[in-house]
């Protein structure tokens, strides 16, 4: 029993033992998180910060405590000249037995709770609350727009992060960087697009929307109001020829032609936002290649522009499936057609659009500014309307303020004109980036521009007396003064959304 002090291990001291216990706990939690993270269907970048950065630091620290304790013990023993011993546990002693089993029980319970807590924390970092609300200022615009989108029930990680070892590692890096950039305010306002590490569409969109199952046409009914005193209403009903992806479900043609199994479309954009596309290549399933080059550019089938060659996928058209920031024109047209704004108030369309398109620095300032603009307008120009129809004016003002709050985010410098929407051709080039009448092959075949290539108009005009024709009508511009200008000038050259 009376061994000399040196012969007893230096590790027998409370500091080292505590370090050891912590190391075991941390290792267990780490292992648990690692397995969870690795086998979960979609990796989680933010949890990765905890799993691969924070916990290991603690684990290393608690491992270091073990030799540190031993070193400390050695110095003390030298000074003291004797070994301070641990309490003696005797499993034959019923009191010791109880104490020992009790301790083991409590420890196990503690470990289980820790793991449960960790699991809940893990679930939380996958939630929309975490992505959209925790980092409130930065994500507020996307989170708000998302809640008003067709994908409001699809969680952020479903589109932004996906399964597979490759994405697992990549999302770890970008998640860590994102946390750093938010903490140190290094993020860009507005957040820059296109997002470089967005998951490929095959792994996100196509999990829910199976391209083979596209077929036929989708009807779109749009209501517009002109900027005149009467807010004259105009309706356009169109069949969007989305087309099909596989014969029994529909001909392999139409808008989703770019995406169906038979065709691969490649393009090179010369700008960051992918708005200038001078070079396009189509490869059909038979291997036939066709290169379309923008006339007047220096490129040809063999002389490619500098830049990344992208294979066209869902995101090249549907780049705003979930974060839709509406233009003042679009939002006010909608509000007028749903009755949230009253179309019988003179010049409401024009004035509401004007009020929304002003520059404001915050939502509060915008609320005051919009109110001032509209109240001022009616007070000055239509005092009788102002005095007799206060409630209608007030409702429209309130709607305009709500439109601002859901579509404009001055603190992140976000509004409709920051992120070009590539569907359509009304206020952004969209489809006309290629279907512009200038892209052609060497033997003179143009990318189609005929208005009926993508949609047929089946009804247009004053909603009470619209002409309807399922075979398709020639487009009539709602503002007759424009004449035939729309045939020569692209819509987005005149229409800016405000
Ligand atoms: C239906 C799929 C989908 C869902 C769900 C989704 N996003 Fe996105 N998100 C996208 C796409 C596609 C882009 C890329 C736009 C681009 O690159 O032009 C994007 C872009 C972004 C951007 C960059 C800025 C911008 O507006 O383009 C942020 C930030 C963002 N998403 C956050 C979120 C958050 C937070 C959620 C959950 C509340 C979420 N996203 C849910 C598809 C989605
Ligand atoms: C988790 C499933 C899911 C994923 C992933 C998903 N969507 Fe959807 N999407 C839906 C559902 C459900 C609807 C129908 C919503 C409705 O009818 O209101 C929808 C609707 C749409 C619509 C029609 C919108 C409209 O205005 O009616 C488009 C276009 C679309 N999604 C494109 C995409 C694109 C592009 C992606 C990939 C970035 C994507 N979706 C990812 C489930 C999903
Ligand atoms: C060439 C551009 C383009 C590409 C590429 C594209 N879409 Fe579309 N898609 C459209 C247009 C245009 C519509 C018509 C509706 C509209 O204007 O919003 C549409 C409609 C849809 C709809 C709603 C109508 C329906 O048939 O249910 C869904 C869902 C959709 N697309 C998903 C996808 C997915 C998923 C992909 C990738 C596999 C994809 N799209 C690729 C342009 C495109
Ligand atoms: C990157 C260039 C590019 C963009 C962007 C693009 N297209 Fe195309 N599209 C092509 C090419 C190339 C063809 C093949 C030439 C042709 O048939 O005119 C084509 C063909 C088509 C066709 C005919 C398919 C068939 O049945 O043969 C439709 C419809 C179409 N595009 C619709 C759209 C719509 C709608 C958009 C915008 C949402 C769009 N495209 C955007 C390059 C593009
Ligand atoms: C390459 C395909 C393509 C061609 C060619 C095309 N359009 Fe469109 N157009 C679209 C798509 C896609 C949309 C719908 C976008 C959306 O869902 O918001 C659209 C939307 C529209 C709208 C509704 C605008 C809005 O957003 O409110 C009108 C009107 C229209 N087109 C007229 C025309 C006319 C006129 C022509 C001929 C000069 C034409 N389009 C040629 C693809 C095309
Ligand atoms: C030369 C300029 C010019 C061109 C090109 C042009 N428009 Fe217009 N458009 C106007 C003007 C001006 C108005 C009247 C605006 C108002 O009263 O608010 C208008 C009004 C409209 C409206 C109704 C108002 C609203 O809510 O937006 C629609 C829809 C429209 N244009 C569609 C188109 C389409 C589609 C094209 C392309 C095929 C096109 N325009 C090309 C100048 C133009």
């Amino acid at each position: 029993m009376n061994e000399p002090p040196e012969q007893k291990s230096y590790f027998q001291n409370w500091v080292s033992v505590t370090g050891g216990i912590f190391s075991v706990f941390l290792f267990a939690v780490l292992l648990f998180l690692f397995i969870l993270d690795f086998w979960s269907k979609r990796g989680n970048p933010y949890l990765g910060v905890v799993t691969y950065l924070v916990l290991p630091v603690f684990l290393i620290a608690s491992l270091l405590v073990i030799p540190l304790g031993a070193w400390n013990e050695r110095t003390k023993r030298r000074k003291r000249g004797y070994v301070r011993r641990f309490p003696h546990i005797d499993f034959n002693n019923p009191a010791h037995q109880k104490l020992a089993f009790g301790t083991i029980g409590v420890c196990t319970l503690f470990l289980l709770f820790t793991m449960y807590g960790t699991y809940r924390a893990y679930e939380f970092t996958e939630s929309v609350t975490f992505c959209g609300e925790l980092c409130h200022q930065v994500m507020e615009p996307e989170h708000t727009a998302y809640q008003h989108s067709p994908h409001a029930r699809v969680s952020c990680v479903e589109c932004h992060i996906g399964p597979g070892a490759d994405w697992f590692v990549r999302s770890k890096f970008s998640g860590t960087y994102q946390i750093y950039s938010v903490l140190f305010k290094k993020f860009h306002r507005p957040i820059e697009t296109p997002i470089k590490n967005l998951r490929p569409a095959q792994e996100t969109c196509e999990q829910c929307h199976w391209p083979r199952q596209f077929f036929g046409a989708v009807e779109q009914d749009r209501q517009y109001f002109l900027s005149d005193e009467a807010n004259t209403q105009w309706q356009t009903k169109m069949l969007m020829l989305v087309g099909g992806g596989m014969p029994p479900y529909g001909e392999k043609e139409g808008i989703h032609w770019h995406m169906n199994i038979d065709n691969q479309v490649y393009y090179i954009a010369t700008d960051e936002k992918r708005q200038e596309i001078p070079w396009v290549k189509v490869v059909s399933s038979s291997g036939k290649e066709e290169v379309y080059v923008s006339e007047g550019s220096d490129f040809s089938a063999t002389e490619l522009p500098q830049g990344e060659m992208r294979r066209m996928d869902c995101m090249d058209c549907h780049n705003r499936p979930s974060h839709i920031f509406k233009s003042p024109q679009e939002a006010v047209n909608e509000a007028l057609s749903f009755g949230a704004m009253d179309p019988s108030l003179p010049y409401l369309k024009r004035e509401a659009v004007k009020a929304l398109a002003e520059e404001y620095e915050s939502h509060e300032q915008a609320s005051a500014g919009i109110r001032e603009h509209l109240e001022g307008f009616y007070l000055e120009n239509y005092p009788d309307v102002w005095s007799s129809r206060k409630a209608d004016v007030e409702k429209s003002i309130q709607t305009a303020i709500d439109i601002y709050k859901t579509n404009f985010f001055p603190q992140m410098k976000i509004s409709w004109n920051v992120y070009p929407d590539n569907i359509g051709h009304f206020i952004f080039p969209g489809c006309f980036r290629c279907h512009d009448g200038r892209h052609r092959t060497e033997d003179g075949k143009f990318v189609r521009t005929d208005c009926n290539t993508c949609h047929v108009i089946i009804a247009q005009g004053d909603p009470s007396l619209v002409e309807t024709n399922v075979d398709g009508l020639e487009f009539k511009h709602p503002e007759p003064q424009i004449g035939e200008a729309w045939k020569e000038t692209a819509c987005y050259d005149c229409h800016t959304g405000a």
Side-chain angles (χ1 to χ4, degrees):
M1 277 285 152
N2 283 332
E3 294 153 273
E6 302 78 41
Q7 278 174 354
K8 197 101 190 182
S9 161
Y10 290 126
F11 288 103
Q12 293 202 4
N13 69 80
W14 284 115
V15 178
S16 298
V17 169
T18 315
I21 293 174
F22 267 101
S23 304
V24 171
F25 263 98
L26 286 169
F27 183 72
V29 171
L30 200 80
L31 193 70
F32 179 67
L33 275 180
F34 182 74
I35 294 171
L36 203 68
D37 205 11
F38 200 78
W39 292 109
S40 81
K41 237 176 57 229
R42 18 177 220 260
N44 179 323
Y46 305 105
L47 195 75
V49 177
V50 175
T51 318
Y52 305 105
L53 283 180
V54 180
L55 276 184
V57 170
F58 280 95
L59 180 60
I60 291 170
S62 59
L63 282 172
L64 281 178
V65 165
I66 302 174
L68 227 70
W71 183 73
N72 185 33
E73 177 71 11
R74 199 181 84 132
T75 337
K76 276 196 185 150
R77 274 186 209 172
R78 290 255 164 94
K79 265 202 207 139
R80 272 194 235 115
Y82 64 90
V83 181
R84 199 178 269 162
R85 298 177 43 208
F86 282 130
H88 195 84
I89 301 171
D90 177 3
F91 276 91
N92 292 318
N93 180 333
H96 284 192
Q97 243 179 43
K98 255 193 215 151
L99 197 73
F101 285 130
T103 315
I104 292 173
V106 168
C107 284
T108 315
L109 218 64
F110 183 67
L111 197 68
L112 284 178
F113 272 118
T114 314
M115 289 195 171
Y116 179 69
T118 320
Y119 184 66
R120 293 311 302 259
Y122 176 79
E123 276 189 335
F124 177 64
T125 55
E126 294 231 299
S127 68
V128 171
T129 319
F130 179 83
C131 299
E133 287 174 20
L134 210 66
C135 135
H136 191 82
Q137 191 207 6
V138 185
M139 292 293 159
E140 189 199 358
E142 280 74 24
H143 185 236
T144 310
Y146 156 89
Q147 285 170 320
H148 298 274
S149 86
H151 293 107
R153 286 292 176 90
V154 181
S155 68
C156 318
V157 290
E158 218 132 9
C159 289
H160 284 281
I161 302 156
D166 181 21
W167 283 96
F168 178 76
V169 177
R170 269 206 251 176
S171 66
K172 299 290 108 106
F173 279 115
S174 77
T176 312
Y177 177 72
Q178 280 162 21
I179 288 186
Y180 154 82
S181 66
V182 169
L183 288 180
F184 297 97
K185 302 229 177 305
K186 292 270 188 233
F187 55 87
H188 206 275
R189 287 169 218 244
I191 295 173
E192 282 172 317
T193 57
I195 298 188
K196 297 280 178 336
N197 49 13
L198 201 67
R199 292 192 57 210
Q202 290 85 333
E203 294 168 29
T204 54
C205 321
E206 292 183 21
Q207 300 294 318
C208 296
H209 305 286
W210 197 28
R212 290 177 179 208
Q213 298 285 26
F214 290 127
F215 66 95
V218 183
E219 188 180 315
Q220 281 194 359
D221 185 355
R222 294 176 182 261
Q223 305 288 340
Y224 305 98
F225 295 83
L226 297 182
S227 300
D228 52 5
E229 183 173 18
N231 306 302
T232 304
Q233 195 172 356
W234 183 274
Q235 180 186 38
T236 307
K237 260 194 193 172
M238 299 190 298
L239 294 179
M240 303 298 307
L241 307 174
V242 287
M246 208 163 74
Y249 306 113
E251 294 286 328
K252 287 191 247 179
E253 60 175 22
I255 295 171
H256 287 130
W257 167 94
H258 310 77
M259 279 304 304
N260 69 24
I261 309 97
D262 269 1
N263 303 290
Q264 299 177 10
V265 178
Y266 296 89
Y267 72 85
I268 302 176
T270 49
D271 67 331
E272 269 292 300
K273 295 261 179 212
R274 300 182 186 145
Q275 296 300 296
E276 310 276 339
I277 303 182
W279 193 93
V280 185
K281 180 168 80 176
V282 181
V283 184
S284 69
S285 57
S286 60
K288 198 176 133 228
E289 290 193 5
E290 264 179 343
V291 177
Y292 296 83
V293 179
S294 188
E295 276 178 346
S297 68
D298 312 330
F299 312 115
S300 72
T302 46
E303 262 163 277
L304 319 192
Q306 293 268 316
E308 176 203 11
M309 187 180 308
R310 259 183 73 82
R311 173 159 178 203
M312 204 166 171
D313 72 18
C314 319
M315 248 75 96
D316 288 303
C317 299
H318 298 280
N319 65 331
R320 313 296 308 164
S322 184
H323 316 299
I324 306 158
F325 304 109
K326 292 195 178 120
S327 67
Q329 285 278 2
E330 191 184 354
V332 173
N333 277 340
E334 253 179 40
L336 287 164
S337 71
F338 297 150
M341 283 185 177
D342 192 333
S344 65
L345 290 170
Y347 284 118
L348 182 57
K349 167 78 189 286
R350 188 183 76 187
E351 294 307 315
V353 168
K354 258 195 212 163
L356 284 166
E358 289 287 327
E359 289 272 332
Y360 303 106
E361 265 156 38
S362 66
H363 282 168
E364 292 69 39
Q365 203 192 35
S367 302
I370 291 167
R371 176 171 296 282
E372 201 182 319
H373 181 107
L374 291 175
E375 279 183 2
F377 176 78
Y378 287 108
L379 201 60
E380 203 169 298
N381 303 292
Y382 294 91
D384 46 327
V385 170
W386 172 246
S387 53
S388 63
R389 300 187 54 195
K390 251 194 177 122
D392 295 336
V393 176
E394 175 56 31
K395 187 176 159 198
S396 299
I397 290 176
Q398 204 48 56
T399 303
I401 291 174
D402 288 345
I403 289 176
Y404 194 90
K405 285 189 179 155
T406 41
N407 294 289
F408 294 75
F409 300 88
Q411 69 283 24
M412 283 300 292
K413 298 195 168 56
I414 285 181
S415 59
W416 88 98
N417 50 11
V418 167
Y419 298 121
D421 186 342
N422 293 334
I423 281 268
H425 49 81
F426 193 37
I427 59 178
F428 297 107
C431 313
F432 288 7
R433 289 173 299 165
C434 301
H435 295 263
D436 61 351
R438 277 183 299 171
H439 285 70
R440 61 185 205 108
T441 59
E442 255 163 11
D443 46 12
K445 186 181 162 211
F446 282 87
V447 177
R448 271 176 259 183
T449 52
D450 180 67
C451 301
N452 290 341
T453 309
C454 310
H455 46 61
V456 286
I457 296 175
I458 52 170
Q460 64 185 339
D462 179 339
S464 59
L465 34 105
V466 283
E467 17 164 352
T468 308
N469 185 341
V470 238
D471 295 331
L473 298 160
E474 204 203 344
F475 175 67
K476 230 181 10 209
H477 193 274
E479 171 59 63
Q481 279 179 356
I482 300 303
E484 306 274 278
W486 58 269
K487 285 188 176 161
E488 272 77 52
T489 315
C491 319
Y492 61 88
D493 280 337
C494 293
H495 291 274
T496 59

